[in-house]
Amino acid sequence: MSRVLVVGGTGLAGRAVTAEAVERGHEVVVAARRAPDDDDDAYVAGAVYVVADLVTGNGLEEAVEGTDVLIDASNADGRRASHVFATGSLNLLHTAARFGVRRAVLLSVVGADGSGYSYYRAKAAQERIFLDSPLEARIVRATQFHDFVTAVFERGRPFGALIAPSRTRFQPIAVPDVARVLVDAAEGDGQPDSIRTIGGPRIESARALAERWKEASGARRPVVGVRLGGPLGSTWRAGRNVVPDAAIDGMDYDAWLSARG
Ligand SMILES: NC(=O)c1ccc[n+]([C@@H]2O[C@H](COP(=O)([O-])OP(=O)(O)OC[C@H]3O[C@@H](n4cnc5c(N)ncnc54)[C@H](OP(=O)(O)O)[C@@H]3O)[C@@H](O)[C@H]2O)c1
């Protein structure tokens, strides 16, 4: 058993990581700017919650004290991403190094390298900060979560539609499957200072997935193909968001839809 710090452990991915690490018997500390109440969806019984802010550094010493391994599953919104990821990672890793943390695992995104999309550039810079740190680092790049692709389709709601980015394929992955790989990495799986990519079990067109979401959710709105502008659209249309050789044997989109009930 190790003491594992999950930074951003109240978020979508972070909660699953926290639950997985608690389940495996680790002593788990979660750091975020807000600690959840015990009736909150973000609360995982057995974890300890510490209020800390990556950007200001407040609370980080308390969070990292006694930690063997940290997993960073935090996030930042698009406009602030570059600042939050850079400042936050430097603050986190310097503090962790001072307190003797051995290993750091970062959740990143497939396609982060070589994309002009500002959020992906910020993730790529964050990866470099982890790999250049004195800690033994492991990066796990995941494809889009099932929840995320569904949120893309639902961006059409104000227009009475479901949006399917045209000429785009997704390889959506279940967050608990990502969490398992992150905790494996925290336990030492894989090479130090390496990048592992993982994708969901199937690659499908955005339209096919959107049609299945439409059916499962009972939405009456039509699925409308939209050409996504900017560097994110071109990254996706170039297929740089899928990793056919790194598909994991996990929950596919249909199983995820069924599990939602
Ligand atoms: N969405 C996808 O499809 C996808 C795919 C692959 C990889 N990823 C990566 O997965 C990571 C997690 O994404 P997510 O959607 O799970 O994130 P999320 O739900 O937005 O959760 C973000 C977490 O970070 C914490 N946080 C934000 N700013 C913080 C700060 N300054 N200091 C401390 N904690 C802070 C939040 O808590 P507070 O707000 O309370 O601080 C929350 O716990 C991201 O780095 C993303 O690039 C996402």
Side-chain angles (χ1 to χ4, degrees):
M1 181 180 91
S2 299
R3 181 161 160 133
V4 179
L5 170 66
V6 185
V7 182
T10 57
L12 177 63
R15 289 174 211 187
V17 173
T18 301
E20 178 70 22
V22 167
E23 174 73 24
R24 292 195 199 182
H26 296 294
E27 189 186 332
V28 181
V29 175
V30 168
R33 289 168 301 174
R34 279 171 301 277
D37 294 327
D38 57 10
D39 59 351
D40 194 309
D41 283 350
Y43 180 80
V44 176
V48 170
Y49 289 84
V50 172
V51 172
D53 188 327
L54 287 164
V55 177
T56 63
N58 292 337
L60 281 184
E61 292 192 349
E62 190 195 339
V64 300
E65 190 166 12
T67 293
D68 300 305
V69 185
L70 69 83
I71 302 174
D72 187 349
S74 66
N75 203 1
D77 76 39
R79 281 165 296 123
R80 298 199 67 229
S82 147
H83 172 63
V84 173
F85 289 151
T87 310
S89 301
L90 289 168
N91 283 341
L92 175 66
L93 295 170
H94 283 154
T95 311
R98 274 200 293 120
F99 278 75
V101 178
R102 211 162 20 105
R103 184 177 298 141
V105 178
L106 173 68
L107 174 54
S108 190
V109 61
V110 166
D113 55 328
S115 171
Y117 179 46
S118 58
Y119 179 87
Y120 283 13
R121 286 208 318 262
K123 289 297 293 182
Q126 186 186 32
E127 291 181 352
R128 283 192 295 277
I129 292 170
F130 270 70
L131 292 173
D132 290 346
S133 83
L135 279 71
E136 180 193 310
R138 283 169 172 74
I139 313 290
V140 176
R141 288 182 184 157
T143 53
Q144 280 72 47
F145 305 155
H146 293 314
D147 317 69
F148 178 86
V149 301
T150 305
V152 171
F153 306 150
E154 282 296 332
R155 294 195 90 155
R157 185 181 281 272
F159 315 106
L162 290 160
I163 284 179
S166 57
R167 293 176 47 216
T168 296
R169 295 180 309 153
F170 290 121
Q171 186 177 359
I173 191 165
V175 163
D177 290 328
V178 176
R180 272 190 282 283
V181 174
L182 287 166
V183 179
D184 287 346
E187 290 175 344
D189 189 46
Q191 291 301 310
D193 302 317
S194 63
I195 299 178
R196 177 171 178 195
T197 55
I198 53 167
R202 271 214 278 280
I203 299 175
E204 295 180 83
S205 72
R207 177 171 283 277
L209 291 162
E211 291 289 359
R212 298 224 293 294
W213 167 246
K214 174 179 158 94
E215 194 184 329
S217 65
R220 299 232 175 99
R221 291 164 281 146
V223 174
V224 176
V226 172
R227 185 183 163 85
L228 217 64
L232 179 61
S234 48
T235 299
W236 285 358
R237 282 191 296 280
R240 290 205 294 270
N241 60 323
V242 296
V243 282
D245 297 336
I248 61 158
D249 182 19
M251 181 184 262
D252 67 12
Y253 193 60
D254 292 330
W256 181 79
L257 288 173
S258 304
R260 288 181 85 258

